[in-house]
């Protein structure tokens, strides 16, 4: 079970903080706080489904992901139906890092490839990229105890270096 103050990955909300527990009522609940944008939201999550929550990556794991960003491989999953493809990547995002980083990197790569061939990238690429990037920044910032703006800058540098090495 989780402890108060621990950061966990909620499949729909991303990084949440365990704020407490509520066992008054028909089912015991975990009280979570999610930060979406500038607002904080309190959530009641059933203890019976706590196996769907998992801890954020450790400080060491987060640093390793940043240090070895170039080695993270893009996901090669393809499907003729873009809706099924989008669903695949959205499921991966729910797992947290390193999958959020892999998905963001994959979407950036696919957008660049389409543009290189003078094609318009699939509209879902940008949607999935935005969500995967946001979740990556949140989780890595929490793991490394830094601001999301600082983490954003670090990831931007790593991505620029990676793109330069691809050309």
């Amino acid at each position: 079970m989780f402890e108060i103050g621990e950061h966990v990955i909620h499949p729909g909300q991303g990084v949440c903080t365990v704020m407490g527990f509520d066992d008054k009522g028909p089912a015991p609940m975990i009280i979570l706080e999610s930060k979406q944008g500038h607002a904080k939201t309190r959530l009641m999550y059933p203890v019976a489904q706590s196996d769907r929550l998992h801890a954020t990556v450790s400080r060491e794991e987060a640093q390793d992901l940043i240090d070895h960003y170039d080695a993270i491989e893009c996901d090669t999953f393809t499907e003729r139906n873009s809706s099924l493809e989008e669903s695949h990547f959205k499921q991966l995002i729910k797992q947290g890092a390193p999958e959020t980083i892999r998905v963001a990197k994959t979407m950036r790569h696919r957008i660049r490839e389409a543009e290189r061939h003078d094609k318009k990238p699939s509209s879902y690429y940008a949607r999935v990229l935005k969500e995967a990037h946001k979740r990556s920044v949140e989780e890595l910032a929490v793991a490394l105890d830094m601001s999301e703006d600082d983490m954003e800058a670090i990831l931007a540098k790593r991505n620029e270096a990676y793109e330069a090495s691809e050309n």
Side-chain angles (χ1 to χ4, degrees):
M1 186 57 105
F2 303 107
E3 296 180 20
I4 294 174
E6 186 175 354
H7 296 287
V8 297
I9 301 297
H10 181 287
Q13 299 294 318
V15 176
C16 292
T17 306
V18 176
M19 303 304 290
F21 301 92
D22 183 357
D23 57 1
K24 305 170 193 154
M29 304 295 263
I30 303 170
I31 303 168
L32 301 173
E33 187 172 84
S34 168
K35 182 180 174 281
Q36 294 287 331
H38 298 291
K40 292 182 179 181
T41 305
R42 288 263 170 139
L43 309 162
M44 300 293 277
Y45 198 84
V47 169
Q49 294 179 20
S50 64
D51 60 329
R52 295 182 63 210
L53 302 173
H54 62 276
T56 58
V57 292
S58 69
R59 180 177 196 82
E60 294 77 23
E61 291 168 320
Q63 191 62 55
D64 189 58
L65 287 168
I66 292 167
D67 291 345
H68 299 100
Y69 181 84
D70 291 356
I72 298 171
E73 294 187 20
C74 290
D75 190 311
T76 59
F77 180 83
T78 58
E79 181 66 55
R80 291 192 323 163
N81 179 325
S82 64
S83 178
L84 293 175
E85 215 172 81
E86 183 174 4
S87 293
H88 166 79
F89 289 109
K90 285 184 173 182
Q91 286 300 328
L92 291 177
I93 290 171
K94 291 178 180 183
Q95 296 175 24
E99 292 306 322
T100 54
I101 296 168
R102 182 182 329 281
V103 170
K105 190 172 180 181
T106 300
M107 293 302 114
R108 282 189 192 95
H109 176 75
R110 289 183 179 194
I111 289 168
R112 280 193 314 276
E113 283 299 304
E115 290 170 348
R116 280 186 192 143
H117 293 95
D118 293 323
K119 294 183 178 178
K120 185 177 179 189
S122 177
S123 60
Y124 93 79
Y125 292 172
R127 285 192 304 271
V128 171
L129 171 58
K130 181 178 178 182
E131 183 65 19
H133 179 73
K134 178 180 81 70
R135 296 253 191 134
S136 297
V137 168
E138 280 180 348
E139 185 170 2
L140 294 175
V142 163
L144 295 170
D145 194 28
M146 64 173 53
S147 75
E148 289 183 19
D149 288 341
D150 289 344
M151 180 50 58
E152 182 88 43
I154 290 169
L155 285 178
K157 272 177 134 176
R158 298 300 298 169
N159 192 55
E160 286 171 21
Y162 172 73
E163 286 180 13
S165 72
E166 267 195 323
N167 294 333

